[in-house]
Amino acid sequence: MAQQQKQPYYQQSSKELLTKFSTTDAGLSKQEAQQRLTQNGPNSLVANKRKNVLQRFIDQFKDFMIIVLLVAALVAGFSGEIADAVIIMLVVILNAVFGVFQEMQAEAAIDSLKEMSAPKANVLRGNNVVTVNSEDLVTGDIVLLEAGDVIPADLRLIEAQQLRLEESALTGESVPVEKSVKTLDAGTNEKVSLGDQVNMAFMNSNVTNGRGVGLVVATGMQTEVGRIAGMLNQADETKTPLQENLNHLGKVLTWIILGLSVLIFVLGLLNRQESVLNMLLTAISLAVAAIPEGLPAIVTITLALGTKRMAKRHAIVRKLPAVETLGSTDIIASDKTGTLTQNKMTVERIFENNELTDAKTSQVTLDDKVVRIMTLANDTKINADGELLGDPTETALVQFGLDHQLDVADLIKQLPRVGEVPFDSERKLMTTIHQLDDNRYLIATKGAPDQLLPRTTSYQLHAETPEMDAKERETILATNTKLAKQALRVLGMAYKIVPTLPAEITTETVEQDLTFAGLIGMIDPERPEVANAVAEAKGAGIRSLMITGDHRDTAEAIALRLGILQPNEHDAVITGSELDALSDAEFAKKVPDYAVYARVAPEHKVRIVKAWQKRGKVVAMTGDGVNDAPALKTADIGVGMGITGTEVSKNASDMVLADDNFSTIVVAVEEGRKVFANIQKAIQYLLSANLGEVLTLFMMTILGWQILAPVQILWINLVTDTFPAIALGLEPMERDIMKHKPRGRDSNFLSGGVTSSIFYQGLLEGGITLLVYWLAINYPVHAVANLAHADALTMAFATLGMIQLFHAFNVKSIHGTIFHRGIFANRSFNWAILASAVLLAATIVMPGFNKLFHVTHLDWFQWGIVLGASLSIVVIVEIVKLFQRRFHKA
């Protein structure tokens, strides 16, 4: 039911809220629950409506260059050049189909990863416990909770017995929170953070220990998870660098092409007295020659091939441009819990017998007092499959024994628990009592060292138990401080053996005169592959940031271990409250100073991403929690986690790591750089080829020569351009690709010497083609003039096509010699060149095609001129590259 909330729920007593929601501790009746469900809708998040296939298909035609091609196709069709119009339309439609197919494939992969967070919930309905689908919960329902449950809605707790919840997906804090039913201070004016609302349980959190009862106060989009989902709908979709580059390139090319076409049209009418229709067809020929029609399809295919390779490496790309965007990334801002770390508490250090050792290498047995206490003073349950159930801290203590091949289950069975003093947040201790074989009793106590130490009178030193003195206390406290500074969560272990049990088991009767056994230090450890991934990213000029809801000390310690921070960079850590104190202008100036952000909220993450974007940086954001979702959507590329990631975070991402492996991000960066380099090669190839075609048509028009027909130009573009350009997308990765600095947002496909290469290589192609035409006209093989002109045009057509095929070898490297790269290493490229050459030659040597393509047969001498002239571009470009390399070295 919709309720007007004067005070936050955590500031209202459970009795007040039961009245407000018109319910009782026996729950709603079945009829009332159904009425509320009908009135307010299901307990589910409202997802953005997906586009249907037709809408996706139409979206593919919104590119400026595609629109111009459609116009050219219409003009060609109305002018009678049906073949030209059909071929142009086929290219455009093929590109659209590719785009739609890839989008739908990516979404299907994401759908396969989705799982309902809390499919069932135990609810009181009319004082009877019933199990219902979580979607059928309504406000006013009474939900029963126990270890292993997922919180199905936002609850105000009305009962809590040793109840602890793991809320990392929402708060970013990996340590479970102990819950209570106590009403928080209603007089405070400050808003209490989610992590400190101890009497609330939030949707998608996990019960790790104990049991409880909660009143549903919010469902669906009204929950804290729903609030973040709402933020996602308002977040701006960021255009990727690839989209910006292609849009800019398309607009520049289109306006230049339109200007040239108009110029040719006017000059033709003035200088040649041609008919308006003929010059209109000539202008269309120029437009067809200049516009790289295959570019959108080639880019799509290259990106699709990249996504296919990445899928094999467990990276599912939801949006094609995301592949290339990672390649231009300057900043990787990563959530800590579950992304950089394992989201699993682990025993790391042990202090016993006055020695501090590494937990992994410690030689321990079940006779060690520390191991025995951590195993027995523990509420972890082991199910039939050997899975550990309970609080992550306690399961980590049991897991330590299992990792050292200790039979902890047998120990628990041999020493049954006969009494306990449960943990509470005030004394910060937990004690269990176990019967020994000799009818005596073992009292095992674990808890906060500062609370435990005053209750000890002796300490364990190998087989002896000397009296606890000031020196020993100082040693223990110094060790505790040392471990705490390393951001380890420290627990103390103590015990005593008594002949009989006291009449009343309380902290006063059993937690006194203990023998101190030792300390253990725990942490949510970093993922083993992350440090190398961070180092590799750093070598590639990419800065890694840590953004977490955890405490400052914990975040700093993990960042140091991962190499995100250096030992002298304490000032590079900032908390959310410190960030709030900075204005946007101040933060924009200082943002490069910070590498670690601790105790932050979702809005802080968005602010961090935007601050870097304003500095012109390309930002990738990784995360798995609901609280990461707004930043994932705001970033240039959001990277979600497929296993531990919430549904909200995956839907907000551009790419999902199916294996949750952080190192896959670096693989994706490498793949992105390869994709960009190969697209750049394809663009250099296409634009230099098209410039050669434009120059050829322009000069033929100016000189009054016969000009190449639109169908000839389009055939060259489709056959000799497209196949090699696609094959360039399969070029092997350059060895030093991860040693270059990120190119950043300001770079584009024409950077790095590509523009100058396009111009001089395009001029070469056009100039050599015109030279062949001039030779054929002035030194004809045939005596008949008409045949000489027809042969000259055919030789120009063949030269313009073949020269592009030879030139494709040149663009394997912008400045490097092709002979150092393994000229025939790319088999797909070799077959593409061969296939294109055969298709080009077929239009001339096969009689059925002569009329369609307006060409004649050529003899061996004429073919020799064509091939010799075409091959010359390789020699000339290699000479130019040689001088370029020497100039750069000088």
Side-chain angles (χ1 to χ4, degrees):
M1 296 177 67
Q3 301 291 331
Q4 290 190 345
Q5 184 182 347
K6 295 180 181 179
Q7 283 183 308
Y9 295 126
Y10 57 79
Q11 290 184 345
Q12 300 176 66
S13 69
S14 56
K15 186 176 181 180
E16 290 175 318
L17 289 172
L18 286 171
T19 303
K20 177 176 286 190
F21 285 95
S22 303
T23 188
T24 68
D25 54 10
L28 300 170
S29 67
K30 184 178 179 180
Q31 293 76 15
E32 176 63 21
Q34 183 59 49
Q35 183 180 344
R36 295 187 185 191
L37 183 63
T38 303
Q39 181 179 345
N40 297 315
N43 173 36
S44 60
L45 301 182
V46 177
N48 286 335
K49 187 177 180 181
R50 288 186 176 181
K51 297 178 180 178
N52 57 37
V53 176
L54 179 60
Q55 289 172 320
R56 294 174 194 272
F57 188 76
I58 293 173
D59 284 346
Q60 306 299 317
F61 293 88
K62 293 180 180 178
D63 181 82
F64 190 47
M65 195 157 51
I66 296 296
I67 293 173
V68 172
L69 280 175
L70 290 174
V71 173
L74 288 173
V75 173
F78 283 119
S79 302
E81 297 294 335
I82 304 300
D84 291 5
V86 169
I87 294 175
I88 293 173
M89 287 301 301
L90 284 175
V91 171
V92 173
I93 292 171
L94 179 64
N95 172 68
V97 171
F98 263 119
V100 172
F101 175 76
Q102 182 59 32
E103 282 186 21
M104 296 184 70
Q105 284 289 98
E107 286 193 353
I110 292 298
D111 288 340
S112 68
L113 291 172
K114 289 182 180 179
E115 294 180 358
M116 280 293 294
S117 297
K120 302 288 183 180
N122 294 321
V123 185
L124 279 175
R125 293 271 171 90
N127 211 27
N128 293 318
V129 179
V130 295
T131 302
V132 300
N133 291 326
S134 62
E135 289 189 349
D136 295 335
L137 286 179
V138 296
T139 52
D141 263 328
I142 304 297
V143 179
L144 308 182
L145 304 173
E146 59 183 26
D149 285 351
V150 177
I151 306 299
D154 282 3
L155 312 176
R156 169 62 163 90
L157 296 172
I158 56 180
E159 288 184 29
Q161 296 183 9
Q162 300 183 44
L163 182 66
R164 293 183 199 141
L165 303 186
E166 192 270 312
E167 300 176 331
S168 62
L170 193 62
T171 66
E173 193 167 359
S174 56
V175 178
V177 179
E178 185 178 1
K179 294 294 182 176
S180 74
V181 299
K182 189 183 300 182
T183 303
L184 300 185
D185 184 7
T188 180
N189 291 321
E190 294 184 7
K191 183 179 179 181
V192 179
S193 67
L194 294 182
D196 296 324
Q197 294 178 24
V198 294
N199 57 10
M200 297 291 296
F202 301 107
M203 188 177 187
N204 282 4
S205 300
N206 299 286
V207 181
T208 63
N209 188 73
R211 61 187 183 85
V213 178
L215 167 67
V216 176
V217 294
T219 61
M221 295 299 288
Q222 302 304 313
T223 63
E224 288 297 326
V225 172
R227 184 179 68 84
I228 294 176
M231 291 172 60
L232 292 180
N233 294 333
Q234 298 173 5
D236 296 331
E237 286 283 357
T238 308
K239 280 195 173 183
T240 68
L242 175 66
Q243 292 168 322
E244 292 175 352
N245 274 331
L246 288 178
N247 287 343
H248 176 73
L249 178 63
K251 289 177 182 178
V252 170
L253 284 177
T254 301
W255 287 114
I256 291 174
I257 292 161
L258 291 177
L260 284 173
S261 297
V262 171
L263 180 63
I264 288 289
F265 180 76
V266 173
L267 288 176
L269 290 178
L270 294 177
N271 295 344
R272 299 178 52 163
Q273 287 80 47
E274 293 281 351
S275 68
V276 173
L277 181 59
N278 285 341
M279 286 317 302
L280 184 60
L281 289 175
T282 301
I284 290 173
S285 298
L286 183 68
V288 170
I291 294 178
E293 320 66 359
L295 181 57
I298 290 165
V299 170
T300 301
I301 292 169
T302 304
L303 290 172
L305 292 171
T307 63
K308 188 175 181 180
R309 289 190 294 268
M310 290 176 67
K312 292 180 180 178
R313 303 292 296 272
H314 308 293
I316 299 172
V317 176
R318 300 182 71 240
K319 300 176 182 177
L320 277 181
V323 182
E324 185 276 334
T325 307
L326 268 171
S328 61
T329 298
D330 298 281
I331 304 292
I332 298 179
S334 177
D335 174 54
K336 179 185 77 69
T337 306
T339 306
L340 297 175
T341 64
Q342 299 175 30
N343 198 15
K344 181 177 67 177
M345 294 299 290
T346 303
V347 177
E348 186 161 287
R349 305 281 278 170
I350 294 182
F351 176 74
E352 61 178 342
N353 299 317
N354 278 351
E355 293 181 358
L356 187 63
T357 60
D358 187 285
K360 291 182 180 178
T361 58
S362 295
Q363 300 297 317
V364 296
T365 68
L366 287 177
D367 293 328
D368 289 336
K369 294 296 189 292
V370 171
V371 176
R372 182 163 287 213
I373 296 164
M374 74 166 69
T375 304
L376 294 174
N378 198 312
D379 288 330
T380 298
K381 300 292 187 294
I382 305 176
N383 67 13
D385 298 325
E387 183 182 5
L388 303 182
L389 304 177
D391 180 273
T393 299
E394 295 202 325
T395 58
L397 300 178
V398 175
Q399 187 64 49
F400 171 79
L402 296 175
D403 291 341
H404 286 76
Q405 286 75 51
L406 304 180
D407 193 349
V408 295
D410 186 60
L411 175 66
I412 296 170
K413 184 178 180 181
Q414 286 183 9
L415 301 178
R417 184 185 301 187
V418 296
E420 65 180 303
V421 182
F423 176 88
D424 70 52
S425 56
E426 291 185 5
R427 78 181 205 288
K428 298 181 180 178
L429 298 173
M430 173 187 181
T431 296
T432 58
I433 304 172
H434 305 265
Q435 187 170 1
L436 301 174
D437 293 339
D438 56 4
N439 292 324
R440 293 188 298 169
Y441 298 91
L442 169 66
I443 295 175
T445 303
K446 81 172 192 296
D450 60 332
Q451 296 293 321
L452 182 66
L453 205 54
R455 300 168 187 258
T456 62
T457 55
S458 60
Y459 66 97
Q460 190 77 36
L461 187 62
H462 301 293
E464 300 178 356
T465 55
E467 183 181 347
M468 180 69 70
D469 55 21
K471 183 179 179 181
E472 181 63 22
R473 289 180 189 275
E474 185 178 336
T475 299
I476 295 170
L477 290 173
T479 304
N480 179 41
T481 301
K482 178 180 179 180
L483 295 176
K485 285 184 177 179
Q486 297 172 16
L488 298 179
R489 185 184 184 192
V490 185
L491 291 177
M493 306 292 162
Y495 74 98
K496 69 178 178 180
I497 297 175
V498 297
T500 59
L501 292 178
E504 187 178 356
I505 298 175
T506 65
T507 181
E508 289 79 13
T509 59
V510 298
E511 293 179 341
Q512 306 297 331
D513 300 322
L514 301 172
T515 297
F516 177 82
L519 303 172
I520 59 104
M522 312 177 70
I523 199 168
D524 175 14
E526 70 275 15
R527 289 177 176 269
E529 73 280 354
V530 172
N532 288 335
V534 169
E536 189 173 353
K538 188 175 183 180
I542 301 169
R543 185 172 182 183
S544 299
L545 307 178
M546 178 192 289
I547 303 178
T548 178
D550 234 332
H551 292 279
R552 182 188 188 117
D553 291 344
T554 304
E556 184 174 351
I558 293 293
L560 283 168
R561 292 162 64 146
L562 292 174
I564 293 174
L565 277 182
Q566 299 304 314
N568 60 344
E569 291 184 325
H570 179 77
D571 292 339
V573 184
I574 185 173
T575 65
S577 58
E578 292 169 338
L579 182 56
D580 285 333
L582 297 176
S583 66
D584 287 342
E586 290 173 326
F587 182 49
K589 292 180 181 178
K590 294 184 177 182
V591 68
D593 298 337
Y594 305 120
V596 176
Y597 297 84
R599 216 66 178 152
V600 296
E603 53 268 26
H604 291 137
K605 298 181 182 185
V606 174
R607 190 179 175 195
I608 294 163
V609 170
K610 287 185 175 180
W612 278 108
Q613 288 174 331
K614 286 178 181 177
R615 297 182 71 89
K617 302 297 184 181
V618 178
V619 182
M621 170 73 191
T622 73
D624 64 344
V626 174
N627 59 332
D628 299 319
L632 290 172
K633 192 169 184 180
T634 303
D636 294 287
I637 176 166
V639 183
M641 300 294 151
I643 299 174
T644 61
T646 59
E647 182 176 328
V648 175
S649 67
K650 282 183 278 192
N651 283 338
S653 301
D654 302 293
M655 186 176 79
V656 175
L657 304 182
D659 60 355
D660 283 14
N661 193 329
F662 183 89
S663 63
T664 305
I665 299 170
V666 178
V667 172
V669 169
E670 190 176 63
E671 188 64 45
R673 290 188 175 190
K674 174 185 174 182
V675 166
F676 180 88
N678 287 349
I679 290 176
Q680 193 176 47
K681 292 169 186 175
I683 287 176
Q684 179 184 344
Y685 172 68
L686 290 172
L687 295 188
S688 57
N690 287 12
L691 178 59
E693 295 169 10
V694 169
L695 178 65
T696 301
L697 285 176
F698 185 81
M699 293 306 300
M700 282 181 165
T701 303
I702 296 298
L703 295 172
W705 294 351
Q706 282 189 322
I707 62 173
L708 296 171
V711 69
Q712 292 174 327
I713 295 297
L714 197 56
W715 185 253
I716 290 174
N717 281 0
L718 289 180
V719 175
T720 67
D721 279 10
T722 305
F723 292 161
I726 292 173
L728 284 170
L730 295 173
E731 278 294 292
M733 191 176 301
E734 297 180 32
R735 294 179 181 177
D736 60 346
I737 199 165
M738 288 299 284
K739 295 180 181 178
H740 300 155
K741 290 183 178 180
R743 62 182 183 275
R745 192 179 295 277
D746 294 334
S747 70
N748 56 62
F749 288 115
L750 302 180
S751 303
V754 172
T755 301
S756 59
S757 297
I758 288 172
F759 273 106
Y760 90 80
Q761 291 164 7
L763 292 174
L764 273 176
E765 290 186 35
I768 292 170
T769 301
L770 291 170
L771 177 62
V772 169
Y773 183 90
W774 181 82
L775 287 173
I777 289 292
N778 289 280
Y779 302 98
V781 174
H782 293 285
V784 182
N786 286 340
L787 286 178
H789 281 282
D791 284 355
L793 200 62
T794 301
M795 290 174 68
F797 165 66
T799 302
L800 191 57
M802 293 301 298
I803 201 170
Q804 292 180 22
L805 298 182
F806 282 111
H807 179 53
F809 288 94
N810 290 326
V811 300
K812 283 173 172 277
S813 178
I814 297 175
H815 298 301
T817 175
I818 58 175
F819 301 110
H820 285 172
R821 289 184 50 80
I823 191 169
F824 300 114
N826 185 349
R827 292 184 179 181
S828 298
F829 179 83
N830 300 335
W831 282 110
I833 295 295
L834 180 61
S836 296
V838 169
L839 289 171
L840 177 68
T843 62
I844 298 172
V845 301
M846 295 184 67
F849 288 104
N850 290 123
K851 187 174 182 181
L852 177 64
F853 288 95
H854 315 295
V855 294
T856 61
H857 285 286
L858 300 179
D859 59 28
W860 288 110
F861 179 73
Q862 291 169 319
W863 272 114
I865 294 174
V866 167
L867 293 174
S870 301
L871 183 60
S872 68
I873 195 169
V874 175
V875 177
I876 298 171
V877 170
E878 278 294 309
I879 294 172
V880 173
K881 286 182 180 181
L882 177 63
F883 282 106
Q884 287 176 331
R885 291 193 296 273
R886 290 185 175 180
F887 175 77
H888 285 299
K889 285 183 179 179

